[in-house]
Amino acid sequence: MDGLPIGRKVDLSSHSSYESLAHTLEEMFNERTAASTCKRSNGEEHGVILGGERQSKLLDGSSKFVLTYEDKEGDWMLVGDVPWG
């Protein structure tokens, strides 16, 4: 990840799945990924991973954002409609 929040870029070759990419984007833009959050003694919120694995809000439909990309033909596609590879 490089740059300010308005102009950051992500190296897709460093990810092996949509889930990995989604978690990186959520971290970049401070979107909560965990199923639950707790407050530390200093009042700061932190995520709690339930069931041993975080579920991405960007991929499960519970986020206010939707991941899309432009394919080779110029059509806009929803992330996950086509297998990662």
Side-chain angles (χ1 to χ4, degrees):
M1 291 183 283
D2 290 327
L4 299 172
I6 192 88
R8 290 185 177 175
K9 58 186 175 181
V10 176
D11 180 6
L12 294 179
S13 66
S14 67
H15 298 280
S16 60
S17 67
Y18 287 123
E19 191 71 28
S20 170
L21 174 62
H23 285 301
T24 298
L25 293 171
E26 289 168 339
E27 289 173 13
M28 285 174 68
F29 296 100
N30 297 319
E31 179 75 11
R32 299 279 184 229
T33 59
S36 177
T37 58
C38 293
K39 290 198 178 202
R40 294 185 171 129
S41 58
N42 65 1
E44 179 183 319
E45 284 190 355
H46 64 95
V48 175
I49 299 172
L50 300 178
E53 188 173 317
R54 296 187 308 177
Q55 290 293 324
S56 169
K57 285 181 158 186
L58 287 170
L59 297 178
D60 72 10
S62 63
S63 174
K64 59 185 174 183
F65 302 103
V66 176
L67 291 180
T68 60
Y69 67 94
E70 188 174 357
D71 69 7
K72 293 176 184 176
E73 288 83 35
D75 297 322
W76 284 97
M77 308 287 289
L78 290 174
V79 164
D81 284 352
V82 177
W84 175 259

